[in-house]
Structures are given as C-alpha cells and as structure tokens.
Amino acid sequence: MKHSIITVDKRTQRDYNLGFKLSVVHQVEKGEMTYKQAQKAYGIQGRSTVLVWLRKHGTLDWTKPIRRQMPKSKETPAQKIKRLERELSDEKLRNKILNTMIDISDKQYGTAIRKKHSPNQSSTSDKNND
C-alpha cells in the first residue's frame, strides 16, 4: 500500500524594514491603493499587517472609529411630503427676501445687480456690429 505524501508550504514570518512600512503607509494614505491592494502588490501575508502599520506609522487618527448610524426611524411618505413642502415654503420666502433686497439696493444706491435679459438682445447686438 502506497502512502501519498502531501507537502504543505509553511508560512514564514517576514520582517519589513521601517522604510518599506512607511512607503506602504504613505501610498495607502494618499489613496494610491487600498490596504488590501498593498497586501497583494507587495506580497504581505498577514491580513491585518498593513492596518497595524497604518495605525502605528500613519498620520490619520485611528483612535476614534467611524460609526455610521442608520436613522432610527424613517420618514413615512406623508411626513416626507410635509417636510419638503416646508422646505419649499422656506426657500420661496428666502427668494422673496433676496429679491426685495436687490430691489431696495437698486433704488437706493443705483446698482444694477439683477441682469436684465431681453429675447432680442442678441439680434440688437448683431445690428450694431453691421
């Protein structure tokens, strides 16, 4: 009876010099590659090796994890419509206030803030050039 011998490549631990680590960290922080791309490109075996380097040698703040929270309650369609109607009303009021301010400025100071466009403007300028 024959026994087949299965050889398993044993993983070896590699030591990386500080310059190499800083170079990888710099490339990841600049956005040239992700940490996973750096692992693959440089043959770094550990899953978290580059992350450890980023925390230790990087310039970004890793002490506060980014937590993305979902809103606790979603708006119903009726609530969304009411909110949007309120926002529209506020914007209309804001627009009216700004237009009033422009009108007052034009009257009191003789400014011409609002540009007046006429549909025949391009044809009149063509006549002046002839």
Side-chain angles (χ1 to χ4, degrees), residues 30-83:
K30 275 180 59 178
E32 294 175 5
M33 61 177 65
T34 65
Y35 80 93
K36 287 186 178 185
Q37 291 171 334
Q39 285 175 331
K40 190 172 185 178
Y42 295 113
I44 301 168
Q45 292 179 346
R47 289 183 184 173
S48 62
T49 303
V50 176
L51 291 175
V52 171
W53 296 349
L54 285 165
R55 288 185 182 101
K56 188 173 183 181
H57 303 292
T59 57
L60 299 177
D61 184 13
W62 290 87
T63 58
K64 299 174 189 169
I66 298 173
R67 294 184 183 173
R68 294 186 182 140
Q69 294 179 345
M70 295 295 290
K72 292 182 180 177
S73 62
K74 291 192 173 190
E75 289 179 318
T76 65
Q79 290 171 331
K80 186 172 183 177
I81 290 170
K82 282 187 177 184
R83 180 181 53 84

Side-chain angles (χ1 to χ4, degrees), residues 91-103:
E91 286 302 315
K92 283 181 178 179
L93 181 60
R94 182 176 180 266
N95 190 16
K96 187 174 183 179
I97 291 170
L98 290 174
N99 281 327
T100 303
M101 290 172 56
I102 290 172
D103 291 341

Side-chain angles (χ1 to χ4, degrees), residues 6-55:
I6 300 173
T7 60
V8 178
D9 291 333
K10 193 173 187 180
R11 293 178 61 179
T12 60
Q13 183 176 356
R14 290 182 60 185
D15 291 328
Y16 301 97
N17 65 31
L18 182 61
F20 176 76
K21 293 177 186 179
L22 294 176
S23 173
V24 171
V25 167
H26 182 69
Q27 288 178 340
V28 172
E29 286 189 338
K30 275 180 59 178
E32 294 175 5
M33 61 177 65
T34 65
Y35 80 93
K36 287 186 178 185
Q37 291 171 334
Q39 285 175 331
K40 190 172 185 178
Y42 295 113
I44 301 168
Q45 292 179 346
R47 289 183 184 173
S48 62
T49 303
V50 176
L51 291 175
V52 171
W53 296 349
L54 285 165
R55 288 185 182 101

